[in-house]
Amino acid sequence: MSLPEAYAKPVPVPDPDSAPFWAGCREQRLMIQHCDDCSRHQFPPSNICAHCGSGRLSWKQASGAGKVFSWIVVRHPVPKPVYVDDVPYVVALIELAEGVRMPSNIVGCAPEDVVADMPLKVAFKQVTEEVVLPLFEPA
Amino acid sequence: MGTARRPAYALKDKYAIVGIGTTDYSANSGRTVRALAIEASANAIADAGLRPADIDGIVSYNFNDSAPAIAVATGLEIPNAGYAVDFLAGGNAANLIVLSAVAAIEAGLADTVVCYRAMNGRSGFRLGGGREFQALGPTQYTAPFGWITYPQAMAMWCRRYQIEYGLTPEQLGNVAVTLRENAVLNPRAMQRKPMTMDDYLASRPIVDPFRMFDICLETDGACAVVVTSAERARDLKQKPVYIMGGAYGGGPQQGDDLFDCIRWPDHSKNYSHYIADDLWRSAGVTPNDIDVAEIYDCFTYSILMQLEGLGFCGLGEAGNYIADGHIRRDGKLPVNTHGGLLSEGYIHGFNHVIEAVEQLRGQSGPRQIPNAEIALTTAGAMTCGSAMILRR
Ligand SMILES: [Zn+2]
């Protein structure tokens, strides 16, 4: 895969809480935190379970299946030079099968074709040498 | 609604807003934020019939886009500020800083406190024009996907509301058109050009479901108020506006910053749903008692959530409530009598407090709501926020 000369969009800066998530994306695996005490998943990751306060968290590979919870169509590019060639583009809050929500882009269909609860599946996209983003497309 | 968590408010009517001050609102002030803050604060102090030496507390909120409270205290030559606090917060704090002034006075940290918000919101740091363009901390999960601005964030909430309850472009447009009708009467408003529904529908699509006129103005300017005890207020120049009650809070899973709504359970309800019980109980009144409501309107949609959250109408009913004319100046609940953040200007919600005080003093000129006795002010649109109930 050839990469663009200079990728101008924001790239995620992993931190100690998020490093396993972004490392998973590089391996095309969608990794989600799982609480060993209350058995619920959470996203974004944290050092503590947002449901029960437990610190006993592990990482599990998500199925990559989800559905549209909400979405927007960005038509006015901000910052303009960065997104002028991308508009209109779709950002969605995606409800994963594991019960957490994750923001991402919906690709592979026209913005007009996005509907609530539309089934989606993850599709990884390498954007720089270091960074692979989890995008979603119609399932 | 949420469940009241605290005992009944002990401070009802014990404190008052006794002075208000503003600068001009513009798209390019040509002045430092510090200068704007000092001018608005000095105007508020003079309005109260006080001198800076009478002030011993100062409190503000900002996003690293303002002058710190101590810098403003220095500029005003306040001799000894016993309470000087800067909240790192968005418009959600507009009422919280007034409540914190009350708390400081009650605690004996100060007697008379000036509260301000100053910003070069158009010519300087633009909250609406794109946040810091980076993807770390909470934004690592949003910015890489081109989800960067507050209009984009709130449009995501609005779409979910559409999914759950239905919402037409005209229902959002009613908010913008109604507020513009009020702004036409307000000499301080930045946008006084009459707006029709056709104008609204023809305005540029920014981020579906929002058009240009769903989004508030970006503004340079400052607002300030002076807070003191009801006892001291009786001797001052203006008729006191008493603080009946107030609340600050949010619901579960508020996220890691103001933009973050990834975990927020229900995007058709914002903070207002969760503070409603505390707010009404604190003041001992109900929605039916409100004569004028200055409701945080960074976007048209945020008004719908707050009308429902605070109990002015049922969940999913705000679109029809507004279409029925209830929020117009001749309706049962006049909303944003100055034109709001959408048409007066965006001093980050603090201009709502100014407008409420002017209405309760009967000083609003052609836009005065007759016999306004009790006012609501709200601040915030997403997962946390604050509100107050004021009376004349
Ligand atoms: Zn847990």
Side-chain angles (χ1 to χ4, degrees):
Chain A
M1 167 188 268
S2 69
L3 297 172
E5 281 295 312
Y7 184 74
K9 294 170 194 168
V11 288
V13 179
D15 57 39
D17 288 338
S18 69
F21 175 76
W22 294 114
C25 288
R26 282 198 294 277
E27 299 170 3
Q28 308 229 339
R29 293 173 352 128
L30 194 63
M31 304 301 292
I32 303 291
Q33 270 185 329
H34 178 265
C35 175
D36 296 339
D37 280 319
C38 74
S39 296
R40 295 175 74 172
H41 291 84
Q42 75 170 354
F43 183 87
S46 171
N47 62 318
I48 191 168
C49 173
H51 306 292
C52 75
S54 168
R56 298 204 312 132
L57 295 162
S58 51
W59 289 86
K60 296 220 155 107
Q61 183 170 350
S63 65
K67 62 180 182 176
V68 174
F69 175 76
S70 188
W71 80 98
I72 59 173
V73 184
V74 179
R75 299 192 180 274
H76 174 71
V78 184
K80 192 171 183 179
V82 177
Y83 290 103
V84 70
D85 294 332
D86 290 312
V87 290
Y89 64 90
V90 177
V91 183
L93 266 179
I94 295 146
E95 195 149 286
L96 299 184
E98 289 74 18
V100 300
R101 289 187 201 131
M102 178 179 290
S104 182
N105 299 122
I106 297 179
V107 297
C109 74
E112 292 72 29
D113 294 339
V114 176
V115 294
D117 295 326
M118 185 170 120
L120 301 169
K121 63 176 191 291
V122 72
F124 292 96
K125 183 183 181 188
Q126 180 146 22
V127 296
T128 72
E129 288 293 338
E130 305 289 319
V131 175
V132 174
L133 297 179
L135 307 182
F136 285 79
E137 59 188 19
Chain B
M1 289 190 204
T3 306
R5 294 155 296 165
R6 290 188 289 268
Y9 194 56
L11 305 179
K12 182 177 174 180
D13 298 339
K14 282 182 70 180
Y15 295 92
I17 294 173
V18 295
I20 54 174
T22 67
T23 64
D24 287 339
Y25 302 157
S26 71
N28 186 354
S29 70
R31 309 170 63 199
T32 63
V33 180
R34 181 176 179 273
L36 296 172
I38 290 169
E39 182 188 325
S41 299
N43 287 345
I45 295 164
D47 179 64
L50 294 168
R51 296 168 304 124
D54 298 317
I55 304 296
D56 59 359
I58 185 161
V59 53
S60 185
Y61 63 98
N62 69 80
F63 259 143
N64 296 319
D65 61 348
S66 182
I70 57 161
V72 177
T74 299
L76 290 166
E77 298 189 62
I78 291 172
N80 184 10
Y83 184 69
V85 175
D86 294 287
F87 286 79
L88 183 63
N92 55 303
N95 295 301
L96 175 62
I97 66 167
V98 178
L99 298 174
S100 111
V102 166
I105 302 169
E106 178 73 13
L109 297 172
D111 288 319
T112 305
V113 178
V114 63
C115 309
Y116 69 88
R117 177 63 166 119
M119 58 203 295
N120 278 326
R122 179 62 181 82
S123 70
F125 180 92
R126 298 175 63 183
L127 286 171
R131 292 142 41 91
E132 285 180 58
F133 193 53
Q134 53 188 4
L136 45 84
T139 61
Q140 67 185 294
Y141 309 107
T142 53
F145 307 104
W147 200 28
I148 290 167
T149 71
Y150 283 110
Q152 293 166 0
M154 181 76 6
M156 189 74 83
W157 290 62
C158 187
R159 174 84 68 182
R160 184 64 206 180
Y161 184 95
Q162 286 185 320
I163 293 166
E164 292 191 24
Y165 296 113
L167 184 68
T168 66
E170 287 79 6
Q171 285 176 322
L172 286 178
N174 280 332
V175 176
V177 170
T178 301
L179 269 50
R180 183 63 60 84
E181 286 172 2
N182 294 337
V184 167
L185 303 172
N186 176 9
R188 200 157 50 214
M190 291 176 70
Q191 270 294 1
R192 302 185 66 191
K193 192 177 156 200
M195 181 202 294
T196 65
M197 183 61 78
D198 285 344
D199 295 333
Y200 167 83
L201 293 172
S203 74
R204 193 155 53 98
I206 301 295
V207 48
D208 300 352
F210 286 166
R211 294 166 167 76
M212 179 79 106
F213 290 155
D214 289 300
I215 299 168
C216 73
L217 303 169
E218 295 175 297
T219 308
D220 290 6
C223 300
V225 304
V226 177
V227 179
T228 195
S229 66
E231 192 180 354
R232 182 147 197 236
R234 282 194 280 275
D235 302 327
L236 298 180
K237 192 166 132 192
Q238 301 285 354
K239 202 158 84 173
V241 167
Y242 297 98
I243 299 166
M244 298 182 77
Y248 170 86
Q253 305 284 334
Q254 289 182 42
D256 294 332
D257 72 1
L258 287 177
F259 186 92
D260 181 0
C261 62
I262 297 171
R263 299 181 182 89
W264 188 251
D266 182 347
H267 293 70
S268 61
K269 300 185 183 84
N270 71 359
Y271 79 94
S272 63
H273 174 88
Y274 295 93
I275 68 167
D277 285 354
D278 280 333
L279 174 70
W280 298 121
R281 202 152 71 104
S282 70
V285 297
T286 72
N288 283 330
D289 296 312
I290 299 299
D291 299 311
V292 57
E294 313 300 346
I295 297 181
Y296 197 85
D297 56 328
C298 49
F299 307 100
T300 49
Y301 171 56
S302 62
I303 290 189
L304 279 81
M305 274 189 289
Q306 291 167 95
L307 288 172
E308 296 177 7
L310 295 178
F312 291 102
C313 59
L315 292 174
E317 294 176 3
N320 287 332
Y321 183 86
I322 293 164
D324 290 343
H326 294 316
I327 72 165
R328 293 168 56 102
R329 51 187 304 98
D330 57 356
K332 73 163 93 156
L333 183 75
V335 167
N336 295 0
T337 43
H338 51 333
L341 311 176
L342 288 165
S343 280
E344 185 190 54
Y346 184 61
I347 313 298
H348 222 173
F350 210 60
N351 44 326
H352 281 326
V353 179
I354 301 289
E355 175 68 8
V357 171
E358 287 195 338
Q359 287 283 344
L360 296 177
R361 287 179 178 178
Q363 295 175 344
S364 294
R367 67 183 190 283
Q368 179 68 45
I369 302 301
N371 303 315
E373 285 185 28
I374 299 180
L376 166 73
T377 59
T378 79
M382 300 193 195
T383 62
C384 60
S386 56
M388 284 192 299
I389 297 170
L390 307 174
R391 74 166 177 86
R392 72 182 189 201

